[in-house]
Amino acid sequence: MKRFHIALAVGDLRDSIADYSARLGQRPNVVIEDKYAMWRTDLLNFSINQNAERAGQLRHIGFEEDSAEGFSSTSDVNGIEWELFSAQAQDERIVEMYGVPVRV
């Protein structure tokens, strides 16, 4: 499966989880208190990171793809960061960066 990935910075994680859960029609698959949340839908891998100074800004985009090996990141001609990763590689990276999720 291939999912488009988009990552945003948000001002308040709790309020953003409520808002995006309503918009996506489901609760996040992963939550790390006061830091991070991520949803995996059929077509979308959507994550938010609490960062009040950058609230509303794009952090990066990319693809979650089952056949991807590991985790890679490149920038396009406009300077936008694109990531490519498997679900397992992303899950491992989440723990490395943010800690163990309270909800998976």
Side-chain angles (χ1 to χ4, degrees):
M1 171 172 276
K2 188 173 189 173
R3 292 180 177 99
F4 185 70
H5 172 61
I6 186 165
L8 299 177
V10 299
D12 183 278
L13 191 72
R14 183 164 290 166
D15 288 346
S16 297
I17 287 172
D19 182 40
Y20 294 125
S21 292
R23 292 174 188 278
L24 295 170
Q26 69 182 53
R27 299 286 302 153
N29 300 78
V30 174
V31 175
I32 299 166
E33 293 283 331
D34 300 320
K35 295 180 184 178
Y36 179 87
M38 187 262 299
W39 292 256
R40 282 187 175 118
T41 71
D42 289 340
L43 300 173
L44 180 67
N45 175 314
F46 179 68
S47 68
I48 57 176
N49 174 273
Q50 186 164 297
N51 184 337
E53 296 80 34
R54 292 191 58 206
Q57 293 181 20
L58 176 69
R59 292 179 48 238
H60 57 267
I61 54 179
F63 292 100
E64 174 192 313
E65 188 168 349
D66 291 342
S67 63
E69 292 187 22
F71 188 98
S72 64
S73 176
T74 60
S75 293
D76 69 14
V77 297
N78 295 296
I80 298 171
E81 182 181 359
W82 283 78
E83 295 180 345
L84 177 64
F85 50 84
S86 65
Q88 179 180 347
Q90 183 186 33
D91 293 345
E92 291 168 1
R93 190 168 172 103
I94 289 167
V95 172
E96 288 172 14
M97 292 180 69
Y98 303 108
V100 178
V102 294
R103 177 182 173 158
V104 178

